[in-house]
Amino acid sequence: MRKLFFSVLLLIPFLASAQTTKPFKVNVAVGYAATADYSNSNSIKKAGFVFNLEPQYRVISNLDIGLRLEQAFVQRPEFIDESTVFQTKTKSIMSAVVTANYSINIGGSIQPFVGIGGGLYHTEPSAQSDTRFGITTQYPLPATNVAGGMARVGVRWGRLNLLADYNLVSDTQVTVSATSRALAAKNSYFSVKAGFIIGGGSDK
């Protein structure tokens, strides 16, 4: 999946720059991402870099339908029974999310917009070990493709934009039958990104 993901990322900007019709464009964005877990695990979770490409097509005035391809380098927390916390061995979360973005006309050069989306989030495998009463138990978290949703707000100025996304993603979980205890990874995260629009002409 990783090779396919990067191949699509490289191809889309060339297609956008080559086309001349107004409705199709691509937003290229980079920024900051952090896990959305709010428990007492600040020493475990780590924020990081995020980048995405989002081809969009304007279906009606003010409404763009898109496909956001993103990789977020965040280190999520992983919990055993919501008490014992570990740092993940997964370095990033990749996603393909169908988006709908609505621009709000307020006049002037700055244009706010809001958006929602839903799609697939891919996480790499991780594994943790826990020792209790002298017995060490392994908790292997598999690589997973899980469903998730996205909500966003942003502002656009010409071809530049600033946006904040919240990604609500299903947890990854494994239960060990010998202990009847579960290891769960918190996959939800948020991001703040600056972007640049390629192709599509002016939205005015």
Side-chain angles (χ1 to χ4, degrees), residues 12-182:
I12 289 176
F14 290 104
L15 295 176
S17 61
Q19 61 87 38
T20 58
T21 57
K22 181 178 178 179
F24 183 70
K25 60 188 175 184
V26 176
N27 183 50
V28 182
V30 297
Y32 164 93
T35 176
D37 174 69
Y38 298 108
S39 62
N40 187 22
S41 58
N42 291 331
S43 62
I44 299 298
K45 59 190 181 184
K46 291 184 179 180
F49 174 75
V50 62
F51 70 96
N52 75 252
L53 289 180
E54 186 174 342
Q56 299 175 337
Y57 189 86
R58 176 144 293 191
V59 291
I60 59 173
S61 179
N62 292 8
L63 179 63
D64 295 315
I65 301 299
L67 176 64
R68 192 200 70 184
L69 303 173
E70 179 168 278
Q71 185 168 20
F73 293 88
V74 293
Q75 294 191 32
R76 67 195 181 187
E78 297 174 357
F79 295 90
I80 294 180
D81 294 343
E82 298 292 338
S83 57
T84 307
V85 63
F86 303 91
Q87 184 171 299
T88 185
K89 295 177 175 62
T90 295
K91 301 304 180 184
S92 69
I93 298 175
M94 294 186 290
S95 60
V97 174
V98 176
T99 63
N101 302 282
Y102 183 78
S103 300
I104 303 170
N105 291 326
I106 60 173
S109 59
I110 295 180
Q111 187 176 54
F113 61 92
V114 295
I116 57 173
L120 202 61
Y121 292 75
H122 174 77
T123 63
E124 298 171 344
S126 181
Q128 305 294 348
S129 60
D130 183 51
T131 302
R132 290 175 179 266
F133 309 109
I135 300 175
T136 299
T137 304
Q138 300 295 325
Y139 292 82
L141 281 173
T144 54
N145 296 308
V146 295
M150 183 274 297
R152 67 163 43 138
V153 295
V155 291
R156 185 180 298 115
W157 181 47
R159 291 190 174 274
L160 302 177
N161 57 67
L162 182 67
L163 61 158
D165 292 354
Y166 180 83
N167 297 270
L168 181 62
V169 189
S170 304
D171 294 346
T172 303
Q173 183 169 307
V174 62
T175 301
V176 175
S177 58
T179 62
S180 298
R181 304 179 75 221

